[in-house]
Amino acid sequence: MAKVKPHRKKPTLDMTPVVDLAFLLVTFFMLTAKFKPDEPLVVDSPKATYDTPVKTENLIEVQVGKEKQVFLAVDNKNARYELINKISESKGLNLTEDEKKAYSVMAAVGVPFNQLKGFLAASPEDRKSIKQPGIPTDSLNNELKEWLIALRFMSNKYVYAIKGDQNADYTAVAQVITTLQSKELKLNKFNLITNLETKK
Amino acid sequence: MSEVQDSGGEKKKGKKIRAKKHSTHIDMTPMVDLAFLLLTFFLFTTTLSKPKAMPLIMPDKNEVPDPAKETKVDDEDAMTIILSKNNRVFYYFGIKEPKVEQASFDATKPNSLRKAIIEKKKECESRLKAGSTTNERHKVVILIKADKDAKYKNMIDVLDEMNINEVPVYAIVDITDKEIEMISGL
């Protein structure tokens, strides 16, 4: 009698649903992803229980780093271009079109006016290696105020926020607040950016 | 392949030549690999923790003070919090005879700042109920002051305490020389 051979079947698995799911997730993450811009200043924001999300549209962020360096981050690319155009004109920096474009693609900049032209003229790779000293905010030479005044003249729709590092001295932040409240700017309402902490 | 089939067809005449049926299955493994690779990439690059905002409204410094509009703080309603270096925090009640005490940010400690705020709040509320204050609006008013060595984190912590304990009126005020002197010995 012939032996009954069991019919050998390859143990295949139908992968179609897996692929469907995977691609669905890929599409979801691709569409929702907002890439982190290359931030020159690492800010470790303090934790708090406030849970109102920041509206990133038209957000003007004044960043205060660990070593008291102040950086200015303007959300919109067009706004950045308009801003650098104004600053170049008012401070007589004579920036070229390329240098203005270079500014408009950067997320946050913390360079005093006298170093701005040289900084923007450098190649993107070189720029990364340059340590930005921060925008001066002291009362004798308050360049942050001039940046903010230029922004204030551009539009009224901006929302101002301070993003301070938790290890920064409060005096550095207080200087920024004083600048915001100065009589030229009169910004008495602003946001402090924090990270969410679970309620204690 | 076709040649082989042709020669085979000549030998076995009469039999129908059937094209060999291939299964329609495709090996999906590389595709899945790619899909998951992309998935992991986007998972890692998306920023999940979106920053939160703490709204802060500061009193207008440029406004000319108008004595009629100014809110007067009763001595017994006031509480002052002073921030200093090494994460130290002090507080005192009233204005006339301040007795400075050190507190802790840790809510589990017996000398926590939160406990002091809650107690002061209760005290003010009970006084309001008893009707000993003339002004009905009066509730606890907290003044926050930071000296030059205070860290930004401490300021956020204190502002957060205001949110947690629902303090109705609080303000960030500049520190006075007298207060610097008061905490210098502690």
Side-chain angles (χ1 to χ4, degrees):
Chain A
M1 242 173 96
K3 235 182 188 171
V4 182
K5 256 190 190 167
H7 188 69
R8 281 256 171 98
K9 224 182 183 180
K10 257 193 187 168
T12 46
L13 193 73
D14 189 14
M15 293 262 216
T16 328
V18 186
V19 178
D20 285 354
L21 182 76
F23 272 105
L24 182 81
L25 287 170
V26 169
T27 335
F28 171 73
F29 280 107
M30 263 174 83
L31 293 177
T32 54
K34 203 183 168 192
F35 288 96
K36 232 187 203 168
D38 202 12
E39 279 173 356
L41 184 71
V42 182
V43 179
D44 181 14
S45 359
K47 290 187 170 69
T49 54
Y50 286 82
D51 58 356
T52 20
V54 191
K55 285 194 198 91
T56 43
E57 283 162 56
N58 300 320
L59 184 76
I60 310 293
E61 214 175 74
V62 181
Q63 302 174 342
V64 183
K66 231 185 294 184
E67 283 129 27
K68 296 184 178 188
Q69 330 89 306
V70 175
F71 279 57
L72 183 71
V74 179
D75 164 59
N76 192 300
K77 196 182 162 189
N78 296 333
R80 280 198 290 262
Y81 184 78
E82 208 184 322
L83 173 67
I84 193 69
N85 223 350
K86 277 203 158 181
I87 288 292
S88 169
E89 220 170 84
S90 66
K91 302 302 290 179
L93 295 173
N94 293 319
L95 296 178
T96 62
E97 199 61 22
D98 282 345
E99 285 159 3
K100 285 176 194 167
K101 285 237 168 69
Y103 181 84
S104 72
V105 294
M106 272 186 284
V109 176
V111 182
F113 290 136
N114 55 14
Q115 293 172 30
L116 198 60
K117 191 170 167 72
F119 176 71
L120 293 174
S123 71
E125 289 79 32
D126 288 345
R127 232 179 277 140
K128 268 181 198 162
S129 57
I130 298 172
K131 198 171 184 294
Q132 301 183 42
I135 301 168
T137 55
D138 45 288
S139 49
L140 288 172
N141 179 27
N142 198 335
E143 291 185 5
L144 178 71
K145 195 192 261 179
E146 297 188 40
W147 282 104
L148 292 173
I149 288 171
L151 279 165
R152 201 87 165 111
F153 273 113
M154 271 161 60
S155 170
N156 262 333
K157 65 186 180 208
Y158 295 125
V159 177
Y160 295 82
I162 298 173
K163 187 181 185 182
D165 193 285
Q166 53 179 343
N167 294 316
D169 279 348
Y170 176 69
T171 42
V173 181
Q175 248 169 5
V176 173
I177 294 177
T178 317
T179 308
L180 287 172
Q181 284 196 287
S182 62
K183 61 175 183 290
E184 293 93 335
L185 288 160
K186 280 188 183 159
L187 294 163
N188 296 314
K189 202 181 158 205
F190 43 85
N191 294 303
L192 302 177
I193 290 175
T194 55
N195 272 330
L196 187 64
E197 173 188 44
T198 44
K199 213 156 195 169
K200 282 183 247 176
Chain B
M1 264 232 328
S2 53
E3 271 177 50
V4 180
Q5 266 185 346
D6 277 346
S7 60
E10 269 171 51
K11 272 182 187 172
K12 290 170 186 173
K13 266 203 167 162
K15 262 195 180 173
K16 225 180 187 178
I17 306 157
R18 221 176 256 174
K20 204 179 176 188
K21 258 198 188 156
H22 280 284
S23 71
T24 47
H25 279 287
I26 323 164
D27 187 13
M28 293 241 204
T29 327
M31 201 169 152
V32 178
D33 286 352
L34 182 76
F36 275 105
L37 182 80
L38 285 170
L39 183 61
T40 354
F41 171 71
F42 282 106
L43 262 170
F44 279 116
T45 49
T46 38
T47 45
L48 283 175
S49 63
K50 280 210 173 121
K52 307 287 178 194
M54 175 189 280
L56 183 67
I57 301 166
M58 296 286 283
D60 196 340
K61 274 186 181 169
N62 309 300
E63 214 171 78
V64 186
D66 179 6
K69 273 207 279 178
E70 243 171 40
T71 41
K72 287 208 173 61
V73 181
D74 264 10
D75 186 56
E76 40 193 12
D77 289 325
M79 176 177 179
T80 306
I81 297 171
I82 304 169
L83 301 167
S84 188
K85 67 175 164 194
N86 298 331
N87 299 327
R88 291 189 306 166
V89 58
F90 303 96
Y91 66 90
Y92 68 83
F93 301 119
I95 302 156
K96 284 168 195 155
E97 302 156 350
K99 188 176 162 288
V100 183
E101 268 176 86
Q102 192 169 355
S104 164
F105 280 114
D106 189 351
T108 54
K109 292 245 176 80
N111 65 338
S112 77
L113 185 64
R114 187 169 307 168
K115 214 175 141 195
I117 294 170
I118 291 170
E119 267 166 24
K120 184 73 193 166
K121 236 184 119 183
K122 268 190 196 149
E123 188 207 311
C124 288
E125 270 163 23
S126 65
R127 212 168 340 103
L128 198 67
K129 267 180 205 151
S132 64
T133 47
T134 43
N135 195 334
E136 282 225 325
R137 276 188 323 132
H138 275 189
K139 276 176 185 168
V140 62
V141 174
I142 296 183
L143 304 169
I144 305 161
K145 303 182 180 191
D147 78 354
K148 62 179 192 340
D149 300 310
K151 293 283 177 205
Y152 177 59
K153 180 179 181 284
N154 300 139
M155 182 52 89
I156 294 291
D157 283 341
V158 171
L159 291 173
D160 203 27
E161 286 296 324
M162 302 296 118
N163 181 39
I164 294 167
N165 299 313
E166 292 162 350
V167 176
V169 185
Y170 59 88
I172 300 171
V173 191
D174 291 332
I175 195 162
T176 60
D177 292 336
K178 200 182 151 209
E179 278 157 338
I180 295 171
E181 210 176 277
M182 277 188 324
I183 60 159
S184 64
L186 294 162

